[in-house]
Amino acid sequence: MTLYAIYDPKPGKPALPAAVPEKFSWFAALLPPVFLVVHGLWLELVGFALAVAALVFATSVIGEDAAFPLYVLGAVWLGFAAPGLRRHALAWRGWTHRGERVALSADMAQLEAIR
């Protein structure tokens, strides 16, 4: 079972509540730019692109043997930070935090939040 943070949409906007799982995101760790685009985290995408560009330019100084593990470390960090980034983005867009639910899946957490 997983803990989900439940967010309600802006008032007057017909949508289901969002359920953000509080766990490591393999999607964010394996495909960071795709994860950021899918969830509309545009500023974070720009930061990620700048960090990767800086890592590419620093490769001549630090060496290729250090650049790849640093990229992997950043991707793993993003996997752990993904729930917080999504929660922050929803709050910034006007969604309100309703509370937490423990459920087997995000769909079940949404159903419990609707009741």
Side-chain angles (χ1 to χ4, degrees):
M1 297 226 182
T2 304
L3 179 67
Y4 290 89
I6 306 297
Y7 283 85
D8 289 327
K10 291 180 183 179
K13 190 172 186 181
L16 290 174
V20 180
E22 298 292 326
K23 64 179 185 176
F24 181 81
S25 173
W26 284 101
F27 180 41
L30 295 176
L31 297 169
V34 177
F35 169 81
L36 296 171
V37 167
V38 165
H39 293 291
L41 301 170
W42 304 111
L43 188 59
E44 290 82 355
L45 179 64
V46 169
F48 180 78
L50 289 174
V52 169
L55 192 57
V56 167
F57 287 121
T59 301
S60 62
V61 177
I62 63 174
E64 293 177 11
D65 292 339
F68 182 71
L70 285 174
Y71 175 80
V72 170
L73 182 66
V76 169
W77 172 83
L78 187 62
F80 281 110
L85 292 173
R86 288 186 59 198
R87 285 192 318 267
H88 178 73
L90 287 172
W92 190 69
R93 292 179 185 134
W95 291 57
T96 56
H97 181 257
R98 180 192 296 184
E100 287 81 22
R101 298 276 192 268
V102 176
L104 292 174
S105 68
D107 293 335
M108 295 296 289
Q110 283 179 330
L111 284 174
E112 288 181 17
I114 291 172
R115 290 193 284 154

